[in-house]
Amino acid sequence: MHVPDVSVVVIVYNDEERLPTAVRSVLDQTLHGVEVVIVDDCSKDRSYAVAQELEAAHPGRVRAFRLPENSGGCGAPRNHGIRQAAGTYVMFLDSDDVLERNACRNMLDAAERTGSDLVSGMCVRVHLDNRWGKTTEWYPWIYSRTRTLESITEFPDLLVYDTLSTNKCYRRSFLLEQGLEFPVGIHYEDLLFSAQAYVAARRITLIPNQVYRWNVVEKAASKSISNRRHEIANFVHRMEIHRRVDELLASKGYTDIKTAKDAKFLKHDLVLHLRDLPLLGDAYRQEFARLANGYLATIDPAAYEHVTYLQAICAYLLGKEDWNNLLPAADAMVNKGRLTSPLAERDGRVYWCGDHIDDPADTEARRILDVTGQGFHTTPLTGLTLGNRLTSYEDDGRGTVTLSGSIVNPLRRIGPDAKLSAVLELRARRQIGVRSFSFPAATVRHAGDTIEWTATADVAGTVRPLGIVDAVWDVRLRLDAGGERIVTRVSTAGLDLDAAARLRVRPRLTRLVSDRFEPEVTKKGNLSYVLTAEGPAAVRTQALITGAMHGKAAGVVKRGLRKALRARRNLGSGEQKVRVYHEVFSKLPVKKGLVVFESHMGKQYSDSPKAIYEEMVRQGVPFEAVWSYAGAKPTGFPKEATLVKRWSWQYLRALAQAEFWIDNQGFPLALAKREGTTYIQTWHGSALKRMGFHEPRTKAQGRAAQDRFQAAVDRFDHFLVRSEHDVRTLAKGFRLRDEVLLRAGYPRNDALVEAHRAEAQSGERVRGPLAAELGIDPDKRVLLYAPTFRANAEGAVEGFAFPFDVEEFADRLGDRFTLLVRTHYLNSVSLPPSVAGRVVDVSRHHDITPLLALADGLITDYSSVMFDYAVLDRPMLFFAYDYDSYAGDIRGTYFDLKEKAPGPVVATAEELFQAVAAFDEADAKYAEARQRFLTEFGEYDRGDAARRIVEKFFTRSGK
């Protein structure tokens, strides 16, 4: 009898519809020696019958088994599958997921090549209810490359983070010899099984291939076990599994892994439950605290050094069972960047709350509750997102609602003399037609640590939604305090709204569409209203219209509505210029050799367009160069080129007749590219933040706006990428075809590659004329501080505010380092005279490349400059003081910077100063991480990008 190479154990319970798809993903594997072992956990539907039908249809390849009674979990059916498996290796698959087509082949090859007991590959979460096809890779940094471990101690993060059992292939003899089985009768069985397998394995191999597609339905009516966090039994099981894993690690003496695991518990496991606390009752909270605090007592104190300030604060306050301060802190974790506590000040330091910090017996209170480094006390109030807690909700049953709330007044910065006024606003989440309706607050008053308000909204008589297309309306309060406008969302703060009446409403599409506003609590605990139907006629009509919304007629109506709304906007002279561009200038002949260059929408002579231009000049290419500029007059642009002001008539004519467009951001979206023009898009950096169609704001736009954006990016004939990360992120975010991509690297980085090579060959760093120009002391090291773009709460550009005391930096470190400050080109900075010579503003240097080459080290937060500086293989520090706010906002990131950063990630000014003081230590410690970072994000930066592009498009040999 032929022994299968791999047995895939497919477990199923009441999932007759999806089971065949899961089994088909196994049968369609490119590795043919694969069998399917289906284990039904005593389903109540036809799952077992379907399994038998699959067995009959595929004799010898599919075998079906059924447990005599339901086990209530995944452990028992998987254990049965291990016993029934005939293959040399075993894998696990849930009936609602699928295997990647090459999964078995890739994992088998790795196991046979290395002799590993366990091979693990990348899992991808597929969000089935996301219309944009959202997918997220499960800890992809773990699988950045192939690696083989002789012990889990070589890479503890694997045990700490990847606790799945399904993205792995196990040698069956290893499982049997070690007696490895899943625990039965308890949830989160994967955590324990995976930990046991990691610890017992004599060799583990990781492969950078996708192997498992984990299908996720976030809005499912029936929540999975791990998502039923409101059930206290869920947390009981989680705690028990963690205790068992801790016992396993202790028995092996793996203290370092235990510390890392404790940090992850604080950052992930505990947070998952804390975020639900404001919505749960006192009985649940008391039992939760009892269970959690018993486990927190076993946490290694060192683990707290690896968590965010809010995670540490929440764990501390939970230990105190201080619900008054804990619930606001939990709310702040859910709503990233929201300040939900009034704060307290002692001895020049700022604390999350005033409780506990004056207790001399509590030595940890001040350390953990200290939030001075977050800058809440110095950030302008308009730059803070203040918590606004709903304290009362009343309705008259006829369509009028009265709300009362309490806004945090941090450190009482809104003084008692400040004149107050407020407006309650209902704003459509999809802003089509009428955007919002406002109701002046009846009362707004100072109340010490808070601002209290009350507003009455006559919803029935005032609010006129369109209906259907603007179904969700968010509640906000605009507070005017002494001339400063502060906008807040209204949090329900656990207030019970179940008994609240539906409010009458009159949609513009008549009441036959919908006739009520129903209060709803969002995932983040905020108050919203949802259009719904109550009257029999409205209910029937809404069902009909909802079904018709996806038909052809509905598409015509929607397009007509959007067209009418656009027609109402006055585009002024811009509309006329666009018309002349298309109807007049685009009829003129294309001029051979005419190249229009633009960098950052005309604001600079810099970046890759500059590098390509200078390479063309260097090679003597015959061409006519036109550079665009923005502002009153151009500065720093080449004298040999023709300069045209952006959006001028000369600019439009040059674009219309150009043979080539070259820029790094985007020529005006409204201007179509002619067929005879070639558009080379160099782009301006690899992406941390989600881009293009991956951005929620783009997804939320109407179809017409998305079509316009798609048409704009479709103009790109060539798009430069510097790594496969760019291919997965930027290229997919812009929906670019593969043939558009130029895997050439960034021309702007050619100089950095050459600088690194020269330094490696000579063994010394040549600073060049820029150091003398800036007056750099040759005995001091140079650090470049280059943070990302900053705006205020309304998105307006304003002066850059240092997140650390620049004078303290100069006093403490100025004898060893010169700090160059280079803000984003949209920001500006002002330095105090006291730091002259020790801190230098270089923001006016448009081209950052020479500054990068000069710097001995880089300090940044989330700027894409990190990817460019990696080419130099020099130390980097990441001052991520607002990481929770930045990474957790609506736009989102492609990866967790803290997990991939090739240098220390610090959250406070003190941590930053200490990291700079330990500069050499960080240099050596992160050498390997820097190489990984460069490999992932800069693999195509080889120093010849500009030359390759010029030769490909502009020289005879290239053409």
Side-chain angles (χ1 to χ4, degrees), residues 740-936:
V740 172
L741 305 182
L742 278 180
R743 291 170 168 83
Y746 283 169
R748 71 183 185 195
N749 289 340
D750 290 349
L752 300 180
V753 175
E754 180 56 35
H756 178 61
R757 286 175 180 164
E759 182 180 336
Q761 292 172 1
S762 66
E764 59 182 78
R765 186 169 305 165
V766 179
R767 286 184 167 176
L770 181 58
E773 177 187 335
L774 297 174
I776 302 296
D777 186 337
D779 294 328
K780 291 183 182 180
R781 292 187 176 182
V782 178
L783 295 179
L784 175 64
Y785 178 44
T788 193
F789 166 69
R790 301 287 173 170
N792 62 20
E794 284 75 38
V797 179
E798 55 185 24
F800 176 76
F802 275 98
F804 59 88
D805 188 330
V806 67
E807 292 181 288
E808 183 180 359
F809 185 100
D811 292 341
R812 292 175 58 172
L813 300 163
D815 60 332
R816 296 170 52 196
F817 299 94
T818 296
L819 181 67
L820 307 181
V821 178
R822 207 270 192 177
T823 60
H824 191 278
Y825 68 88
L826 292 174
N827 290 126
S828 59
V829 67
S830 178
L831 294 174
S834 59
V835 301
R838 297 177 292 173
V839 183
V840 182
D841 178 18
V842 293
S843 300
R844 294 184 180 274
H845 286 255
H846 289 169
D847 193 357
I848 197 174
T849 301
L851 297 171
L852 295 174
L854 171 62
D856 298 298
L858 174 70
I859 302 173
T860 188
D861 43 16
Y862 324 107
S863 171
S864 64
V865 74
M866 69 177 81
F867 303 111
D868 304 300
Y869 196 74
V871 171
L872 293 164
D873 190 25
R874 299 176 190 169
M876 284 187 264
L877 305 177
F878 296 85
F879 186 28
Y881 59 92
D882 57 350
Y883 184 79
D884 286 345
S885 173
Y886 186 88
D889 74 4
I890 189 171
R891 186 170 167 187
T893 59
Y894 284 114
F895 62 88
D896 188 340
L897 177 63
K898 290 184 177 181
E899 295 175 353
K900 287 184 179 288
V905 179
V906 297
T908 68
E910 181 58 33
E911 291 175 345
L912 172 65
F913 297 157
Q914 292 178 6
V916 173
F919 185 80
D920 291 329
E921 179 182 336
D923 186 2
K925 180 179 179 181
Y926 287 91
E928 184 179 345
R930 290 199 301 271
Q931 288 301 312
R932 290 198 303 267
F933 195 79
L934 178 60
T935 298
E936 180 170 0

Side-chain angles (χ1 to χ4, degrees), residues 575-588 649 656 671-672 674:
E575 181 180 27
Q576 183 180 5
K577 285 186 173 181
V578 171
R579 186 168 60 250
V580 171
Y581 170 85
H582 288 104
E583 296 178 4
V584 179
F585 291 157
S586 292
K587 301 297 189 289
L588 299 174
W649 292 111
L671 305 181
R674 298 177 65 179

Side-chain angles (χ1 to χ4, degrees), residues 560-617:
L561 175 61
R562 293 184 182 115
K563 183 177 181 180
L565 293 172
R566 288 198 301 273
R568 293 172 59 186
R569 302 188 183 105
N570 180 16
L571 299 178
S573 61
E575 181 180 27
Q576 183 180 5
K577 285 186 173 181
V578 171
R579 186 168 60 250
V580 171
Y581 170 85
H582 288 104
E583 296 178 4
V584 179
F585 291 157
S586 292
K587 301 297 189 289
L588 299 174
V590 171
K591 294 177 65 175
K592 292 295 183 181
L594 177 59
V595 185
V596 178
F597 296 87
E598 186 172 284
S599 178
H600 294 300
M601 296 184 290
K603 294 180 175 66
Q604 299 176 356
Y605 172 62
S606 66
D607 212 77
S608 291
K610 173 187 175 183
I612 294 174
Y613 168 79
E614 293 183 347
E615 180 66 20
M616 293 172 70
V617 172

Side-chain angles (χ1 to χ4, degrees), residues 573-583 585-586 596 598 628 645-657 661 666-675 677 679 708-716:
S573 61
E575 181 180 27
Q576 183 180 5
K577 285 186 173 181
V578 171
R579 186 168 60 250
V580 171
Y581 170 85
H582 288 104
E583 296 178 4
F585 291 157
S586 292
V596 178
E598 186 172 284
S628 85
K645 186 170 183 177
R646 202 170 196 263
W647 274 112
S648 66
W649 292 111
Q650 296 89 341
Y651 174 79
L652 296 174
R653 179 166 181 166
L655 284 176
Q657 292 193 270
W661 291 359
F667 288 109
L669 303 184
L671 305 181
K673 180 183 69 68
R674 298 177 65 179
E675 186 176 348
T677 302
Y679 191 168
R708 288 196 299 273
F709 181 72
Q710 185 66 65
V713 297
D714 283 346
R715 298 178 301 174
F716 303 160

Side-chain angles (χ1 to χ4, degrees), residues 109-157:
D109 288 348
E112 294 292 275
R113 184 178 68 255
T114 63
S116 294
D117 292 326
L118 187 160
V119 176
S120 189
M122 189 183 298
C123 171
V124 178
R125 286 166 59 93
V126 181
H127 301 265
L128 297 180
D129 52 352
N130 181 278
R131 57 178 173 170
W132 306 107
K134 175 184 175 183
T135 61
T136 52
E137 295 178 336
W138 187 257
Y139 299 113
W141 52 274
I142 291 178
Y143 299 99
S144 61
R145 61 183 176 86
T146 300
R147 68 171 81 187
T148 297
L149 313 173
E150 300 298 327
S151 167
I152 190 59
T153 58
E154 296 177 18
F155 192 40
D157 283 354

Side-chain angles (χ1 to χ4, degrees), residues 481-521:
E484 291 189 288
R485 173 162 291 185
I486 301 166
V487 180
T488 66
R489 284 297 307 272
V490 179
S491 168
T492 60
L495 201 66
D496 187 5
L497 300 181
D498 289 343
R502 295 179 174 184
L503 306 176
R504 295 178 182 178
V505 71
R506 294 185 300 154
R508 294 176 185 269
L509 296 181
T510 82
R511 295 181 184 178
L512 291 177
V513 176
S514 49
D515 56 7
R516 292 292 188 274
F517 255 160
E518 182 174 6
E520 179 182 77
V521 180

